[in-house]
Amino acid sequence: MRSSQHDLMWRQLLPKVRRHDEPLQVQLCTAFVTAMLDGRLPGGTRLPSSRDLAMLTGVSRNTAVLVYERLVAEGYVDSRPRDGFFVCGAITPTQTTRPLPEQAAQPPDWASRMHLARNPLAFMDRPPTWREVRYPFIYGQFDPRQFPLTQWRQCSRQALELKAVDRWWQEGENVGASQLIDQLIRRVLPRRGIAATHDQVLLTLGRQQSFYLLARLFARPGSVVGVEEPGFRDPRNAFSHDGAHMVSLPIDEHGLQISPALAACDYLYCTPGYQCPTGVTMSLGRRQALLEHAQMHDQVIFEDDDDPETEYDGRALPALKATDPAERVIYLSSLSKLLSPGLGIGYIVAPTPVIEQLRQLQRLMIRQIPGNNQITAALFIQQGHYDRLLQQAREKLQLRAGAMATALREVLPDAEFVMPSGGATLWLKLAGEHDLLSLYYAGLAKGVLFDPSSAFCVEPDTLPRPCLRLGFGSIAQELIAPGIRELGLVINAHAKRPAVVRG
């Protein structure tokens, strides 16, 4: 007969399972294995019967039986006929190393050993609680409710088949001939007007690694890199960390300006598709002028195509690289914005000698991009799921952009913006004077999250008036109007010179 103390011990070791978390079997197996490896369940310990386990944890009897079958199969539990289940005696608890005596612990002088950044790096990080915010008007996150989980799971299962698993490991093989690169060349890059061969494409762990690799290959003390102002901070950080001198380049309603500062640069970083953060699409005339300028001054352009193919009518301008006859443009993009940032799948398109050097640099960091994600993404594109998701994304973003514009015209009639024709952001120019930092935290307190223009500006007087970047890719459409009304109240309450706010 079980005692109450006996039940209490097992309830501490095996807490009640959560129905809305991972599968019940996984929760219980993890709890058992953790207790065994921590030494709280030593070898030879008798485990509760399947009936008692079901009662103690609130799962069905069948689930309890499956848990024990799995633990037996994995060697953690011994099944003794007519006697029960016992912790396997071969399980060795994880041991921790004792620290050295206090007098022997002399830390090194880290500051003298490390290659430190010349200047403190500023990153635009989200607050840790951003997922709990009611109105997340932010960019860069996808809407998990729109993710085609069924189709992705199907492709993932195919990537787990024996023949596919054999292709996960590519070291010593022609890594450039991967299945995913083949699909990028056949299905994705042509829609941006780019023709490429396998030796001109490098897979990366997202755009962030692309920035880092390009900075390591090209940036050096004395080189000059021009970046958009306002603009994305991360490439600026990457190139300046390796000693390059950064020059801020102004933008206007046509994109990156052909300004006097441009002539002093060795390299140019720009976002022609949807400029970060204003959302401006570089005009055809400006693109041609930029390519001619790069040719005249022997410059290389890094084109960041952050959010490709989301023009609502499906007729986005070709990439800058598509109209580059001299191969002066190095193109980088990713699948993260449409699929999920967590997948970390990016790519660089460049001349073969550049890709060869980038591949060697990447090998110093990682041996290869995870093969399972590569094959799953390749199958997802090959089977048409990517194209369907792209079309659905265009339709949903267009509806959300319309809802955003309607709400802003009603609530903040004195603010100015250009109606987006693609992408997932809107650049809002506020009327009146505002302390953007105070406005940001006041909005956060009211459950409204946005990106202030100060997060994209290195020089404080870059913009003549305060601006906000409002993202609508990860917020439900029905929350846009109430979120904008709440934003309007916050802006009005914290304006140094109040503007007209309605609603």
Side-chain angles (χ1 to χ4, degrees):
M1 186 174 183
R2 300 193 324 269
S3 66
S4 57
Q5 290 87 351
H6 181 273
D7 286 358
L8 180 62
M9 180 195 77
W10 286 113
R11 287 195 170 97
Q12 289 176 341
L13 289 172
L14 304 170
K16 193 173 183 64
V17 295
R18 297 182 294 274
R19 298 285 170 179
H20 300 293
D21 211 322
E22 58 191 359
L24 305 182
Q25 289 183 47
V26 174
Q27 293 182 53
L28 283 176
C29 286
T30 301
F32 269 120
V33 171
T34 300
M36 293 174 193
L37 296 180
D38 286 348
R40 291 175 292 154
L41 280 180
T45 301
R46 179 192 290 273
L47 302 179
S49 67
S50 58
R51 180 180 289 103
D52 289 344
L53 179 62
M55 187 199 70
L56 288 166
T57 57
V59 301
S60 69
R61 175 78 180 279
N62 287 340
T63 298
V65 171
L66 291 173
V67 167
Y68 279 146
E69 288 179 353
R70 180 170 173 176
L71 291 172
V72 170
E74 294 180 358
Y76 287 101
V77 169
D78 291 331
S79 175
R80 303 176 187 176
R82 296 184 298 278
D83 199 10
F85 297 99
F86 296 81
V87 177
C88 180
I91 299 297
T92 303
T94 303
Q95 301 294 326
T96 57
T97 304
R98 291 190 176 186
L100 295 173
E102 194 169 317
Q103 63 272 16
Q106 297 295 326
D109 181 2
W110 292 115
S112 65
R113 292 173 177 265
M114 294 188 293
H115 171 57
L116 302 176
R118 293 173 178 265
N119 299 302
L121 301 179
F123 296 96
M124 194 186 72
D125 293 328
R126 309 288 182 211
T129 58
W130 77 265
R131 293 181 183 276
E132 302 169 15
V133 173
R134 181 166 176 76
Y135 305 114
F137 292 115
I138 56 174
Y139 176 68
Q141 301 297 329
F142 79 124
D143 186 349
R145 293 162 297 186
Q146 308 301 328
F147 187 77
L149 186 59
T150 300
Q151 291 81 5
W152 185 263
R153 185 183 289 121
Q154 173 188 334
C155 294
S156 181
R157 287 197 187 102
Q158 294 173 29
L160 292 171
E161 294 175 358
L162 184 59
K163 290 183 179 180
V165 171
D166 188 52
R167 296 197 302 273
W168 286 11
W169 183 249
Q170 300 168 352
E171 184 184 3
E173 303 173 10
N174 182 7
V175 295
S178 78
Q179 189 174 351
L180 179 54
I181 289 180
D182 185 67
Q183 288 303 308
L184 292 174
I185 290 172
R186 292 173 181 268
R187 302 285 294 276
V188 177
L189 291 174
R191 290 200 295 260
R192 304 298 296 130
I194 298 174
T197 57
H198 285 78
D199 57 357
Q200 295 174 331
V201 182
L202 175 73
L203 296 176
T204 67
L205 290 172
R207 288 165 55 244
Q208 196 69 36
Q209 190 187 46
S210 298
F211 298 149
Y212 185 82
L213 290 172
L214 291 171
R216 290 303 304 269
L217 185 59
F218 293 107
R220 57 184 55 85
S223 59
V224 181
V225 180
V227 293
E228 297 164 326
E229 175 78 3
F232 190 28
R233 286 289 188 90
D234 285 8
R236 179 187 284 270
N237 289 338
F239 285 101
S240 64
H241 187 274
D242 279 308
H245 175 64
M246 309 306 296
V247 173
S248 296
L249 304 174
I251 63 168
D252 59 18
E253 66 274 14
H254 299 293
L256 183 66
Q257 295 183 32
I258 309 300
S259 63
L262 201 62
C265 299
D266 301 304
Y267 304 95
L268 312 173
Y269 167 85
C270 61
T271 51
Y274 302 108
Q275 198 275 334
C276 174
T278 65
V280 170
T281 296
M282 187 181 293
S283 66
L284 287 173
R286 187 64 60 79
R287 291 173 186 234
Q288 185 61 35
L290 183 60
L291 290 172
E292 291 174 357
H293 189 282
Q295 181 67 27
M296 182 183 302
H297 295 274
D298 191 24
Q299 297 167 323
V300 170
I301 300 172
F302 302 122
E303 177 186 12
D304 185 359
D305 204 11
D306 178 33
D307 201 2
E309 302 187 77
T310 54
E311 194 77 5
Y312 305 148
D313 61 6
R315 293 182 291 181
L317 289 177
L320 185 65
K321 184 170 181 57
T323 56
D324 167 34
E327 291 194 325
R328 290 189 171 275
V329 177
I330 293 177
Y331 176 91
L332 58 118
S333 187
S334 78
L335 303 179
S336 298
K337 289 296 185 294
L338 186 61
L339 293 176
S340 167
L343 289 176
I345 300 177
Y347 50 94
I348 299 174
V349 183
T352 301
V354 175
I355 293 297
E356 289 175 352
Q357 292 300 312
L358 289 172
R359 185 166 285 128
Q360 289 188 36
L361 276 176
Q362 188 183 52
R363 176 62 188 269
L364 296 176
M365 303 170 64
I366 57 172
R367 300 181 84 92
Q368 71 167 66
I369 305 298
N372 57 328
N373 282 353
Q374 281 192 52
I375 295 175
T376 301
L379 292 169
F380 191 82
I381 297 171
Q382 184 177 13
Q383 296 173 15
H385 305 310
Y386 183 86
D387 285 24
R388 284 193 292 274
L389 178 61
L390 180 59
Q391 182 58 39
Q392 292 168 4
R394 289 174 181 150
E395 294 170 359
K396 288 182 172 65
L397 290 177
Q398 185 174 22
L399 291 174
R400 293 178 186 183
M404 176 86 75
T406 299
L408 286 171
R409 292 189 185 107
E410 177 185 347
V411 175
L412 294 167
D414 288 349
E416 297 179 12
F417 63 89
V418 175
M419 180 66 186
S421 61
T425 64
L426 182 146
W427 187 244
L428 185 69
K429 299 178 181 179
L430 299 179
E433 298 178 5
H434 301 269
D435 180 340
L436 287 178
L437 189 60
S438 298
L439 189 62
Y440 174 82
Y441 284 110
L444 189 59
K446 294 294 185 180
V448 183
L449 184 59
F450 57 83
D451 295 323
S453 57
S454 54
F456 305 96
C457 298
V458 174
E459 301 173 12
D461 298 327
T462 299
L463 300 172
R465 56 196 292 188
C467 301
L468 310 180
R469 185 179 73 172
L470 301 176
F472 46 86
S474 58
I475 184 171
Q477 184 173 339
E478 63 271 16
L479 294 178
I480 290 177
I484 293 299
R485 287 195 292 270
E486 191 67 50
L487 175 64
L489 294 173
V490 171
I491 290 173
N492 189 46
H494 289 79
K496 296 180 181 179
R497 187 178 63 209
V500 177
V501 178
R502 299 173 186 167

